[in-house]
Amino acid sequence: MNTAPRPLVDRFGRVHTDLRVSLTDRCNLRCTYCMPAEGLDWLPRADALDDDEVVRLVRVAVERLGMRSVRLTGGEPLLRRGLVGLVGRLAALGVELSLTTNGVGLARTAAGLREAGLGRVNVSLDTLRADRFAALTRRDRIGDVIAGLAAAKAAGLDPVKVNAVPVRGVNDDEIPELASFAVEHGYLMRFIESMPLDAQGSWDRAAMVTAEEVLARLGERFELLPVGRSGNAPAEEWRIAGTDTVIGVIASVTRPFCGGCDRVRLTADGQLRNCLFATEESDLRALLRGGADDARIEAAWRASVAGKGPGHAIGSAEFVRPERPMSAIGG
Ligand code: SAM
Ligand code: SF4
């Protein structure tokens, strides 16, 4: 197609340029704030989009809808077979490519992913203590994650961000240590408020550590210089004085950033979601497998975004939890 893409705008004037693609709902960890110890009923493999289907949908999003960045996530995206090849095909579409991972398999894949065209990576790490990591993720893999972070940096992925979800009484006493770890290794650090998106439905607002609390804890150890928010990014950022380390705080619950949201999400089984908290999805897989042409897929995508609401209503009486948990939507 030679014509320029037409922007994907919703009825509130928000232009959507960022696509999150979940490559699998499976995971090799069992973070307590995300899923139960026994795991979940994973999608049958035939229900998941194959590589050609993912590439086709991303191509339509780039060529027709003006999508500029694609973040690969899951579940655990490194569990996807043939990931390096898929990354190469997506990079060839000319989008900025990033990955969110638990880092367990990153030590052996980082260099290949970088070479295939991956630009940046976010690695989830909620604690620096091995016993705590094992209790929090129910797997004894902290060594792999630390090695994965180092391999990502060595491979030239830039930036390497560490994502942590502080939970009261579990790891909130480590907020300054995590920031120091980021300073020491040249990573960026992000703290994310926990959200009611765990599969068990046991989210408890009282256990959520707010962005304000995170900043207060950090302020006890560091001088924080405000950087602000870059573009529509969800994180508000501070730089630790005397360092290049930038700390981002994502206050999804206490300071929602829905007004500037530029995201759409595609689940591993090809369902388009116009919001993390959406309660409805558009079945792009059915269109793909039913032989729809690109124009039909584009129209379905625009219709989904046209129906996007103003924002989530966590904490209010109208809030309805989405049926799928975070791991099945793509975090
Ligand atoms: N498995 C990968 C990982 O852990 O980075 C990618 C998927 S995971 C669902 C994406 C991000 O969502 C992680 O940073 C994780 O910590 C975060 N997350 C999971 N459950 C959450 C929850 N209930 N509230 C807030 N963040 C959550
Ligand atoms: Fe797996 Fe990521 Fe969920 Fe942890 S947060 S269980 S690593 S999907």
Side-chain angles (χ1 to χ4, degrees):
M1 207 180 86
N2 295 321
T3 52
R6 198 156 57 81
L8 186 57
V9 191
D10 70 7
R11 63 202 157 105
F12 304 99
R14 294 172 295 194
V15 180
H16 295 72
T17 56
D18 184 50
L19 174 63
R20 310 259 140 162
V21 179
S22 173
L23 295 179
T24 177
D25 62 335
R26 291 164 202 246
C27 193
N28 45 2
L29 299 184
R30 296 285 183 274
C31 304
T32 47
Y33 55 72
C34 182
M35 61 171 77
E38 63 277 16
L40 297 167
D41 289 333
W42 312 123
L43 281 175
R45 290 207 191 271
D47 286 3
L49 298 184
D50 66 22
D51 286 3
D52 290 344
E53 290 172 325
V54 172
V55 172
R56 168 130 186 251
L57 290 180
V58 174
R59 182 180 55 71
V60 169
V62 172
E63 287 181 355
R64 293 177 171 257
L65 303 162
M67 216 58 63
R68 287 200 289 268
S69 51
V70 173
R71 176 170 291 277
L72 304 175
T73 182
E76 177 43 44
L78 296 182
L79 295 182
R80 172 109 181 179
R81 281 195 207 126
L83 178 63
V84 170
L86 178 58
V87 163
R89 292 177 67 186
L90 294 174
L93 298 172
V95 277
E96 274 178 41
L97 262 190
S98 57
L99 175 81
T100 299
T101 170
N102 63 30
V104 169
L106 198 55
R108 58 189 152 73
T109 48
L113 289 169
R114 175 79 190 107
E115 225 163 276
L118 185 71
R120 39 176 67 208
V121 70
N122 286 19
V123 179
S124 300
L125 178 63
D126 301 311
T127 171
L128 297 167
R129 301 186 196 170
D131 54 339
R132 242 184 218 185
F133 183 94
L136 211 154
T137 67
R138 304 187 179 103
R139 299 287 186 273
D140 191 9
R141 306 297 294 269
I142 192 170
D144 298 296
V145 180
I146 304 277
L149 276 163
K153 184 93 183 155
L157 291 166
D158 186 26
V160 175
K161 284 188 190 165
V162 177
N163 281 357
V165 178
V167 180
R168 196 174 308 289
V170 175
N171 62 343
D172 55 333
D173 54 342
E174 281 186 78
I175 290 169
E177 273 78 21
L178 284 161
S180 293
F181 171 78
V183 172
E184 188 186 329
H185 295 278
Y187 306 143
L188 303 188
M189 185 72 225
R190 314 226 291 180
F191 293 99
I192 305 170
E193 286 181 350
S194 77
M195 293 179 273
L197 285 172
D198 56 310
Q200 318 81 291
S202 59
W203 181 80
D204 169 15
R205 194 181 176 107
M208 175 188 68
V209 179
T210 64
E212 203 180 325
E213 289 176 82
V214 168
L215 290 170
R217 296 273 178 114
L218 290 170
E220 289 166 12
R221 177 149 342 160
F222 308 104
E223 187 189 344
L224 297 175
L225 308 171
V227 176
R229 196 190 283 272
S230 42
N232 290 328
E236 283 179 68
E237 295 185 326
W238 282 262
R239 189 166 59 75
I240 297 185
T243 76
D244 293 332
T245 303
V246 173
I247 310 271
V249 184
I250 305 189
S252 330
V253 178
T254 60
R255 291 205 286 262
F257 32 84
C258 305
C261 181
D262 62 356
R263 282 185 192 169
V264 280
R265 297 171 187 267
L266 186 63
T267 65
D269 56 344
Q271 307 301 303
L272 186 68
R273 300 178 60 89
N274 58 27
C275 172
L276 185 54
F277 294 93
T279 49
E280 281 172 26
E281 301 180 334
S282 302
D283 191 352
L284 297 189
R285 184 189 61 190
L287 289 179
L288 279 174
R289 296 186 181 175
D293 63 7
D294 288 356
R296 180 82 184 79
I297 292 170
E298 174 187 354
W301 210 302
R302 290 195 190 281
S304 166
V305 168
K308 180 163 173 159
H312 71 64
I314 298 174
S316 77
E318 311 92 80
F319 178 67
V320 183
R321 275 178 72 108
E323 257 171 48
R324 293 194 202 231
M326 181 91 145
S327 61
I329 296 171

